[in-house]
Amino acid sequence: MNSSYEKLWTQVLDAIMAAGVFEQDTFSWLKKTTLFKIDESEAYVAYRSIVSYNLLNNNQELFADTLSELWGKELSLVIVSYKDMEQLLPEVVVEQRTNNLLEFKFNEGYTFESFVEGSSNQEAYAACLAVCTGKPGGMFNPLMLFGNSGLGKTHLLHAVGNYLHKEKPESRVLYMYSGDFVSLLIEAMKTKNVHGNTVERVKEQLLDCDYFLIDDIQNLQHASSQEIFFTVYNKLLQQNSQIILTSDIHPQELSGLQARLVSRFKSGLAINISKPGFETSKAILKKKIEGRQEACQIEEDVVDFLALRFSNDVRNLEGSLNRLIFNATLFNPPVINMEFASQVLETETIIESDAADLNVKEIKKAVTRYYGLAYKDLEGKSRQKKIMTARHLCVWLCRELLHKPYTVIGVELGGRDHKTIASSYERACLLMKKEPSFLEAAEDLQSRLGDKRK
């Protein structure tokens, strides 16, 4: 809507309110009216309810005189319903609403350089970079990235847009969130404006691109918009425009979408982005900490702790780091260590590894059962020989079967530091040579737990 008209109408209402013509309760209905057009000697005002209409209609002379005085020219009032306002809007207003959705500005912080590549996402990273450097539609068309929310799909879409803007500025790139796509089409189907964006006109705008990027395709469940998208999709492929889609779920599990549409998605290249592993999570944290070292010092143990416990998605990982840094600015500790981190994040949900995978918890369970102990024994401070032996064995198994860093193992065993766990591992290696019973326990549990990795 024209902001100058909105400002003018607000001034009109304020002037009438100041004159004390209406009670406050009555006046609230007038706030629901809109001045949307001035054409020659007529001012068009839209109403939403019959009460608003009656107030305007019964006091036309008052509103017209006040408006004319502020406008500087004599005007008469034309009162229309909000439903009929659409067809009277100027062409430029209708077009601007569509352009606001189509002319998306990419997040400059989301680039290929700022994306942390790891085993969980390297295929998606490579594929996105390949479609940027190659000819549009030449390979992997469509390219579909799927995986849980918060793993970097949107980052890669923006990285594509930013790369093309810099390296191929002549390229026509269109990015849309699926919800905006549906809203745009619904509005086009409902419009009565003679200048408005009809469905055919919107199709033309969507097809005018070399790269078509659409985020969260699983939300495209509106039946009519699916039909239109199917048509646009096919024409984009025919004209060799590159299509990149993202989804929170696998293409085969997209419920609510037409089978023929899902079939088209699977005809190109579909790549899964899984949750980041420990090393990738740690690299992400390191990148986020860059440039902040002067403001806050974070011990390596804390970085390992975050990478282990909050790596279910990147947003959760970054959120835990931001919370630590924020609390550090409040309480100003000399350094962010494990004690401080544990206090700040004690209410956060801890992310466990998938039950089907071998993990530290499974090893702890096997060791405590073997020795008839409880978790709290392994994690506590007791130095009884049986408990110490079990603890050494647990450390050795975590190193041999999972290749976990000492810091990560220490977090799982009551928050012990790197040196303590390293010493425990060395002690376990020594016991393997000196005590046959320890060697027997290690071989037995290693054999049992090793089967779980197959």
Side-chain angles (χ1 to χ4, degrees):
M1 220 62 66
N2 190 311
S3 59
S4 62
Y5 290 162
E6 291 180 358
K7 184 177 180 180
L8 176 61
W9 190 241
T10 299
Q11 292 174 339
V12 169
L13 296 180
D14 288 346
I16 293 175
M17 181 62 184
V21 178
F22 300 104
E23 296 292 335
Q24 181 64 47
D25 291 344
T26 303
F27 193 75
S28 63
W29 290 99
L30 291 171
K31 290 183 179 180
K32 299 176 182 180
T33 58
T34 303
L35 172 65
F36 65 91
K37 180 181 178 183
I38 295 179
D39 185 13
E40 296 297 332
S41 60
E42 294 179 320
Y44 293 79
V45 178
Y47 65 89
R48 293 181 181 273
S49 69
I50 190 63
V51 176
S52 300
Y53 169 77
N54 288 332
L55 288 171
L56 290 171
N57 189 52
N58 295 336
N59 298 277
Q60 278 202 49
E61 186 176 347
L62 171 64
F63 284 99
D65 289 346
T66 307
L67 181 57
S68 298
E69 182 179 347
L70 291 170
W71 182 249
K73 181 181 177 180
E74 187 173 346
L75 297 170
S76 61
L77 214 62
V78 179
I79 307 170
V80 300
S81 68
Y82 231 82
K83 186 171 63 174
D84 294 330
M85 178 180 69
E86 179 76 25
Q87 59 187 313
L88 296 170
L89 284 172
E91 179 179 6
V92 65
V93 175
V94 179
E95 285 187 343
Q96 187 59 43
R97 288 195 310 212
T98 300
N99 292 338
N100 287 341
L101 291 176
L102 294 177
E103 294 177 2
F104 181 85
K105 294 182 179 179
F106 291 97
N107 186 324
E108 294 180 357
Y110 286 171
T111 64
F112 285 120
E113 291 75 20
S114 65
F115 188 83
V116 178
E117 186 182 358
S119 58
S120 62
N121 58 35
Q122 60 186 5
E123 290 184 357
Y125 176 91
C128 286
L129 194 56
V131 299
C132 286
T133 55
K135 184 179 179 181
M139 61 192 309
F140 312 143
N141 203 21
L143 172 61
M144 184 172 193
L145 310 178
F146 68 93
N148 290 337
S149 177
L151 297 180
K153 302 185 298 296
T154 298
H155 186 137
L156 284 173
L157 281 188
H158 285 248
V160 169
N162 284 316
Y163 179 94
L164 293 171
H165 178 71
K166 181 180 178 182
E167 302 296 335
K168 297 182 178 181
E170 74 283 359
S171 297
R172 298 164 299 166
V173 185
L174 175 61
Y175 169 95
M176 292 198 78
Y177 171 66
S178 58
D180 291 337
F181 177 85
V182 172
S183 298
L184 179 61
L185 293 178
I186 291 176
E187 182 178 300
M189 287 184 275
K190 288 169 36 178
T191 185
K192 297 179 181 179
N193 191 295
V194 293
H195 306 297
N197 289 304
T198 63
V199 171
E200 290 304 315
R201 189 169 180 179
V202 169
K203 284 182 184 178
E204 291 175 6
Q205 292 172 299
L206 294 174
L207 290 169
D208 186 27
C209 66
D210 300 308
Y211 294 84
F212 183 78
L213 320 178
I214 186 162
D215 211 356
D216 285 338
I217 197 67
Q218 76 276 358
N219 295 327
L220 190 68
Q221 297 185 0
H222 187 273
S224 299
S225 61
Q226 283 189 44
E227 288 291 338
I228 298 168
F229 182 79
F230 182 79
T231 302
V232 170
Y233 180 92
N234 284 334
K235 288 185 177 180
L236 286 169
L237 290 179
Q238 291 169 12
Q239 67 187 33
N240 290 322
S241 294
Q242 178 66 50
I243 301 172
I244 308 179
L245 315 163
T246 73
S247 170
D248 282 355
I249 53 180
H250 191 282
Q252 292 180 337
E253 300 173 0
L254 285 168
S255 59
L257 296 186
Q258 298 174 5
R260 60 177 182 167
L261 200 52
V262 175
S263 176
R264 296 292 194 285
F265 296 162
K266 293 189 291 184
S267 66
L269 176 64
I271 298 178
N272 178 36
I273 300 180
S274 56
K275 68 180 182 179
F278 173 77
E279 294 300 334
T280 303
S281 297
K282 188 172 179 179
I284 291 171
L285 291 169
K286 289 282 191 180
K287 200 168 191 70
K288 293 296 178 182
I289 293 171
E290 286 178 6
R292 294 178 169 182
Q293 289 90 337
E294 292 185 6
C296 57
Q297 295 292 321
I298 302 179
E299 290 187 348
E300 194 73 12
D301 285 5
V302 175
V303 177
D304 288 343
F305 171 74
L306 297 179
L308 175 69
R309 293 298 182 97
F310 301 99
S311 61
N312 62 318
D313 68 61
V314 178
R315 295 192 191 110
N316 191 35
L317 191 65
E318 293 176 354
S320 63
L321 175 64
N322 288 335
R323 185 173 175 189
L324 270 185
I325 293 174
F326 171 73
N327 277 271
T329 61
L330 288 179
F331 301 106
N332 197 29
V335 64
I336 298 178
N337 55 23
M338 278 301 302
E339 182 181 1
F340 182 79
S342 298
Q343 292 174 352
V344 171
L345 301 172
E346 64 180 350
T347 60
E348 294 288 330
T349 301
I350 301 301
I351 307 302
E352 299 289 353
S353 301
D354 293 336
D357 298 332
L358 179 62
N359 51 53
V360 177
K361 185 176 180 180
E362 287 293 322
I363 291 176
K364 287 163 65 178
K365 182 191 296 184
V367 171
T368 52
R369 286 181 177 177
Y370 189 90
Y371 285 99
L373 301 171
Y375 282 169
K376 65 180 181 180
D377 295 322
L378 288 182
E379 298 167 0
K381 297 181 179 181
S382 173
R383 299 189 63 81
Q384 291 181 21
K385 183 178 179 181
K386 182 179 179 180
I387 295 175
M388 290 286 288
T389 299
R391 197 176 293 140
H392 294 326
L393 181 53
C394 187
V395 169
W396 185 86
L397 289 168
C398 288
R399 286 290 290 176
E400 296 300 313
L401 296 179
L402 302 180
H403 310 291
K404 292 285 187 183
Y406 291 132
T407 302
V408 173
I409 299 171
V411 169
E412 292 285 358
L413 291 177
R416 287 173 165 80
D417 61 27
H418 175 279
K419 290 182 180 179
T420 301
I421 299 301
S423 175
S424 181
Y425 177 76
E426 291 173 2
R427 178 63 180 166
C429 293
L430 185 62
L431 289 173
M432 298 274 279
K433 299 175 182 177
K434 286 188 172 183
E435 294 189 14
S437 60
F438 187 87
L439 176 62
E440 181 183 352
E443 290 177 342
D444 185 11
L445 289 176
Q446 185 178 29
S447 176
R448 291 190 214 172
L449 294 167
D451 290 340
K452 292 197 173 190
R453 297 190 298 169
K454 297 178 182 178

